[in-house]
Structure formats: structure tokens, C-alpha cells
């Protein structure tokens, strides 16, 4: 855990709309021998099934989806608006084609079966509870399909329990 301390979910207070939409996060899955990360700006946190959960949306085309599918746990790393250049690189480039760690200088932390980054300000360690593929038939507002899914690259929706919150010391 290096420079992190465990925190209560109360550490998640603040404007998560800004954190997600403007500051972004890294979604990371896999272990030391094989992992991938991607930038995301869609998601949320809340309470479902009497658990503190996060909601993560990953397109079927993303390499990170393979790692999310293969592992029970994943992490969400938040950087408080820092490292935007690195996050932009991780969002625009596929781990299939480039070594994101080498190119960005991010320092992975391998903590049990969850990988996250030393530079993060806050890390959510999450355990998958639910997965479903978005479909055209499920949309009530069909205009979203034209705006976000004209290429039929649908998102997989994951609901995951937030098992642990880590805050940089």
C-alpha cells in the first residue's frame, strides 16, 4: 500500500460529477503478470443491494474489458486533476498496441489481486457484483443511441462493491 492509508467511504465526499467528467479516473484490472488500465469519465457511486457500490461502463472494444472479465476485482484510481496528460494517453491508446506504463511513467501498485497507481489521490478497490450489456432495445431515449452508439460499440455495465477506499498520505 506504500503511501496510502485505508479510509472510510466518507472520504468519497465532494463533487464526484467533477471528478468523473472533468478529472477522469483510471479503471484497472489484472495482476502483476498481466494487467491493463483505461481512462474513464462515465460512472458513478451509490448504494445498491445494501452495499456501497460503483457503476462502471466499458465498451466491448476496450482491451481493459478482457481483464475486467477475467478478474473478480478491479480498481478505480482518481488523481484530483493531476496527471491529465497521462490519463489522456491512457484513454487514447490501447494496451494492445503500447506499453501505457512505460509511456506515462505511472507506477503500478500490486496489492493482493488488485492493481492501482502510486500517483493516485484516491483508490477504490472494487469487487464485481453484476454485469449487463447495453442494448438498443433498452433505451427509452433513442437519441442517445445516435449520439453515443452509432458504431454499435455498446458498453458493458458493471456494478461493483467498493470493498476498500485508499487515500494517499
Amino acid at each position: 500500500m506504500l503511501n496510502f492509508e485505508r479510509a472510510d467511504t466518507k472520504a468519497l465526499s465532494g463533487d464526484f460529477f467533477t471528478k468523473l467528467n472533468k478529472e477522469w479516473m483510471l479503471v484497472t484490472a489484472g495482476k502483476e503478470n498481466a494487467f491493463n488500465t483505461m481512462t474513464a469519465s462515465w460512472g458513478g457511486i451509490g448504494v445498491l443491494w445494501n452495499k456501497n457500490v460503483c457503476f462502471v461502463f466499458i465498451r466491448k472494444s476496450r482491451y481493459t474489458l478482457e481483464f475486467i472479465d477475467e478478474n473478480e476485482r478491479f480498481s478505480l484510481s482518481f488523481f484530483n486533476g493531476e496527471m491529465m496528460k497521462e490519463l489522456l494517453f491512457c484513454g487514447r491508446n490501447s494496451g494492445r498496441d503500447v506499453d501505457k506504463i512505460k509511456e506515462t511513467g505511472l507506477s503500478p501498485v500490486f496489492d493482493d489481486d488488485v492493481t492501482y497507481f502510486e500517483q493516485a489521490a484516491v483508490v477504490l478497490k472494487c469487487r464485481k457484483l453484476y454485469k449487463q450489456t447495453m442494448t438498443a432495445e433498452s433505451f427509452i431515449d433513442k437519441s442517445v443511441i445516435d449520439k453515443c452508439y452509432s458504431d454499435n460499440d455498446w458498453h458493458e455495465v458493471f456494478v461493483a462493491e467498493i470493498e476498500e477506499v485508499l487515500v494517499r498520505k
Side-chain angles (χ1 to χ4, degrees), residues 21-76:
N21 192 37
K22 304 286 187 211
E23 298 174 4
W24 311 330
M25 65 181 168
L26 287 178
V27 180
T28 309
K31 300 172 181 66
E32 189 168 0
N33 62 332
F35 69 94
N36 198 58
T37 191
M38 62 172 261
T39 303
S41 62
W42 290 4
I45 60 171
V47 177
L48 183 64
W49 307 313
N50 299 314
K51 298 176 184 288
N52 293 325
V53 299
C54 64
F55 309 93
V56 181
F57 303 84
I58 302 175
R59 290 188 188 272
K60 288 186 170 196
S61 62
R62 297 303 296 257
Y63 186 45
T64 302
L65 181 60
E66 295 176 29
F67 293 88
I68 296 276
D69 282 339
E70 292 172 5
N71 291 275
E72 182 181 3
R73 292 177 168 76
F74 62 89
S75 71
L76 304 179

Side-chain angles (χ1 to χ4, degrees), residues 94-110:
S94 174
R96 290 183 187 103
D97 305 322
V98 299
D99 182 340
K100 293 181 183 184
I101 303 310
K102 181 180 174 187
E103 295 294 326
T104 61
L106 287 164
S107 302
V109 176
F110 305 104

